[in-house]
Amino acid sequence: QFQLLESGGGLARTGESLRLSCVISKSPDNEYIVGWSRQVPGKKREFVAQIRWSGDETDYADSIKGRFTISRDHAGNTAYLQMNFLKPEDTAVYYCHLDTVGMRYWGQGTQVTVSS
């Protein structure tokens, strides 16, 4: 059983940066995948980025590719989403997830608001 806790959301202006954190309650196995998705009211949850816990293989949504970077810290059981060159369309609740063998765990989300 895993618990995920996001933090780091807030208000940013267009072009600024934020870094989101996702603290995982215990150390994931190497083959697990941690990722980020986002959701705005009235729309479906959208995949943003993911990374394998053991390595640097990543996958990014086209909408944020080149601007956002996902990473993780093994010692701290923490995943990060570095968000640069923010745009108003990045405004959403950002959710962390962890994919294990047979189950996906979700955090409760952190709000990101980007003003123009």
Side-chain angles (χ1 to χ4, degrees), residues 5-57:
L5 181 61
E6 303 97 332
S7 63
L11 179 65
R13 293 182 174 88
T14 297
E16 294 183 342
S17 299
L18 288 172
R19 188 179 73 161
L20 307 183
S21 298
C22 172
V23 178
I24 304 168
S25 60
K26 60 181 180 179
S27 180
D29 287 356
N30 289 342
E31 67 270 23
Y32 292 176
I33 293 173
V34 64
W36 293 90
S37 298
R38 64 189 183 185
Q39 189 168 24
V40 300
K43 298 186 67 176
K44 300 179 72 68
R45 192 167 296 186
E46 176 191 21
F47 168 79
V48 173
Q50 66 181 37
I51 187 170
R52 192 176 300 277
W53 192 254
S54 63
D56 60 359
E57 180 181 349

Side-chain angles (χ1 to χ4, degrees), residues 36-38 46-50 59-64 68 81 94:
W36 293 90
S37 298
R38 64 189 183 185
E46 176 191 21
F47 168 79
V48 173
Q50 66 181 37
D59 190 21
Y60 293 101
D62 288 341
S63 59
I64 57 87
F68 293 6
L81 186 68
Y94 283 72

